[in-house]
Amino acid sequence: MLNGKIALVTGGARGIGRAIALKLASQGADIAILDAGSLELSEQTAEEIRGLGVRAFAARCDITDYDQVTAAVAQVKEALGGVDILVNNAGITRDKLALRMTPEDFDAVLSVNLKGTFLMIKALYADFMRRRSGRIINIASISGLMGNAGQANYSASKAGVVGLTKTIARELASRNITCNAIAPGFIETPMTASMNQDALEEACKSIPLRRMGKPEDVANLAAFLASDDAGYITGSVINVDGGFFMR
Ligand code: NAI
């Protein structure tokens, strides 16, 4: 159980982040949602979370902007207290073959998925060190482990998240803080709904478990990694992909 813990979930308004926020709340954690999308949507999720009997705070924050990140983290601390569990979930895609991918497409995806994850960790790093406990969970992707045509920017950003995860795990291990990455496969969210559905259907044929994942499949692992039971797991990258990418 996560009673008395405070979890911050980036991109928690919808999709996987929303499912993680609700799952952690169902285990007793208070939840802060930072999302660059509509505040109304974040507030809706926060309201659902309050319905589970815990506290929830939502604010608009673009994680690529360090000033916004530090201001939002200060607001979260003011509203709920410190952060015990940081879930770096916010992410975007701008899929194109590398031939057609613009430098701006590359920068935009690296900026949210990789730099944003770093900035969130940076903003909470000193707090985590002082508290001598904590959990950092980064949402990577199997795309970062195996590559994916059309995702040069995205797969590079997610591979970067894996490297970042391992480095932070090493830096903070002596303070009893774990840092792990989850690598989802194909999960039913607004992100995959906007992909080419024929290509998606084709890819799903090679998933051994023969279905796309649900946001809850990812949230269940996040809840475990956030729990005391996962205290001896750090620097790991764990797939939630129906067996799609077996190493
Ligand atoms: P989504 O697009 O449904 O939700 C992403 C959320 O992040 C949105 O609420 C959006 O407003 C927010 N966001 C985007 N840019 C932001 C920024 N600069 N600052 C703050 N918030 C921002 O996506 P989904 O599918 O729920 O993905 C969540 C995470 O899981 C992402 O990191 C994604 O790369 C990863 N993932 C998703 C997979 C899938 O099949 N859906 C597979 C593997 C990884």
Side-chain angles (χ1 to χ4, degrees), residues 95-110:
D95 297 354
K96 279 168 203 145
L97 291 178
L99 181 69
R100 275 188 283 276
M101 190 175 283
T102 64
E104 292 73 27
D105 290 329
F106 191 85
D107 283 347
V109 170
L110 268 287

Side-chain angles (χ1 to χ4, degrees), residues 14 16 35-36 61-63 89 140 154 158 185 187 189 191-192:
R14 69 180 204 189
I16 293 171
D35 199 296
C61 173
D62 178 350
I63 59 163
N89 162 80
Y154 185 80
K158 295 299 189 177
I187 310 293
T189 70
M191 183 185 270
T192 41

